[in-house]
Amino acid sequence: MPTTHGPLQHRPFAALADHLDRAVPALTAEAVRAELRALVSRGALTRRDGDDVLARLGLHTQPYRWVVGVAVPVTTTVRAPNDRYAHHVGTAHLIAALSRLRTGYLTGPDTPTTPVEHPAARSLRRLRTTRTDPHPGYPTGGIYRIHADALLAITVTGDEPDTVYADARTRLTADLNRRTDITCDTGRMRPTGLRRLTDLDHTDVIADTNGTG
């Protein structure tokens, strides 16, 4: 009786190179990456070793992808009957505007590779509300400015970390300057983190920043 083999993910790790040598049509580069991702997720292989295996198999042919985290001062102006309402409405306005970015996305301090689930608590730091002027009809309220440092992230491609932040800054500045409903002080943008992704990273949820948007 001929020997049968189970799915690729159940075959011995050492057989991967042998399958490549025999040029099995069904074994694509993505199938190899999927196998290695499974081994990494189970702790059978470190991420660095898995990336080295991909390189030895000739599968790393594209520039590295990087996640760049930044903090940007942002401001919005609202009219409200009191401080609390102004803070609530202004925070929601900032989140709504920044959630519509074409390239960047709101993130948290610990999870730069994915959009954050609760941006009010995780993505907007140093939130503060200032009453600037009175407004007719609001005897105890008026016009308020809501300030915050927005934590954003973006993915870019590049081979050298020295050029990655410059590219990320250029892309994010252009994206933020499209927003006319809030004020973004891109001149005070500062980096908060840099992470190089490998072919073993799950990046499905990361925004694609290389399109024209």
Side-chain angles (χ1 to χ4, degrees):
M1 178 179 293
T3 301
T4 59
H5 297 282
L8 177 62
Q9 61 266 27
H10 299 300
R11 298 177 187 176
F13 169 70
L16 285 172
D18 180 56
H19 281 294
L20 282 180
D21 291 339
R22 287 184 289 150
V24 178
L27 190 66
T28 64
E30 184 52 40
V32 175
R33 292 188 179 96
E35 168 68 4
L36 291 175
R37 277 196 292 266
L39 290 170
V40 170
S41 66
R42 293 198 297 267
L45 190 70
T46 67
R47 189 176 299 278
R48 176 176 295 179
D49 288 341
D51 203 32
D52 288 343
V53 169
L54 287 175
R56 289 199 301 271
L57 295 176
L59 295 182
H60 185 74
T61 58
Q62 299 176 345
Y64 287 120
R65 296 179 68 201
W66 306 76
V67 174
V68 181
V70 302
V72 184
V74 293
T75 307
T76 190
T77 301
V78 299
R79 294 174 176 82
N82 54 62
D83 294 6
R84 176 179 292 185
Y85 189 75
H87 181 85
H88 176 76
V89 172
T91 300
H93 190 193
L94 288 173
I95 292 171
L98 294 170
S99 295
R100 293 193 293 269
L101 294 178
R102 299 179 182 180
T103 59
Y105 54 91
L106 285 164
T107 188
D110 304 320
T111 56
T113 57
T114 56
V116 75
E117 292 184 1
H118 303 290
R122 302 283 290 162
S123 298
L124 299 181
R125 295 304 177 91
R126 298 175 60 199
L127 263 168
R128 52 209 182 276
T129 302
T130 305
R131 184 176 181 269
T132 60
D133 293 288
H135 189 270
Y138 293 148
T140 61
I143 300 175
Y144 295 84
R145 289 176 66 83
I146 290 77
H147 312 263
D149 288 340
L151 300 182
L152 303 173
I154 186 174
T155 54
V156 295
T157 58
D159 292 318
E160 298 295 333
D162 291 342
T163 62
V164 166
Y165 176 66
D167 187 16
R169 183 186 183 94
T170 298
R171 291 175 180 271
L172 276 174
T173 296
D175 202 357
L176 291 167
N177 285 342
R178 295 188 184 102
R179 305 305 322 170
T180 59
D181 45 353
I182 61 175
T183 301
C184 305
D185 190 352
T186 56
R188 293 171 57 199
M189 183 187 301
R190 64 185 188 278
T192 58
L194 177 68
R195 175 179 172 182
R196 181 174 68 82
L197 302 175
T198 76
D199 289 323
L200 301 178
D201 284 291
H202 293 281
T203 59
D204 294 341
V205 297
I206 296 178
D208 179 5
T209 65
N210 294 319
T212 59

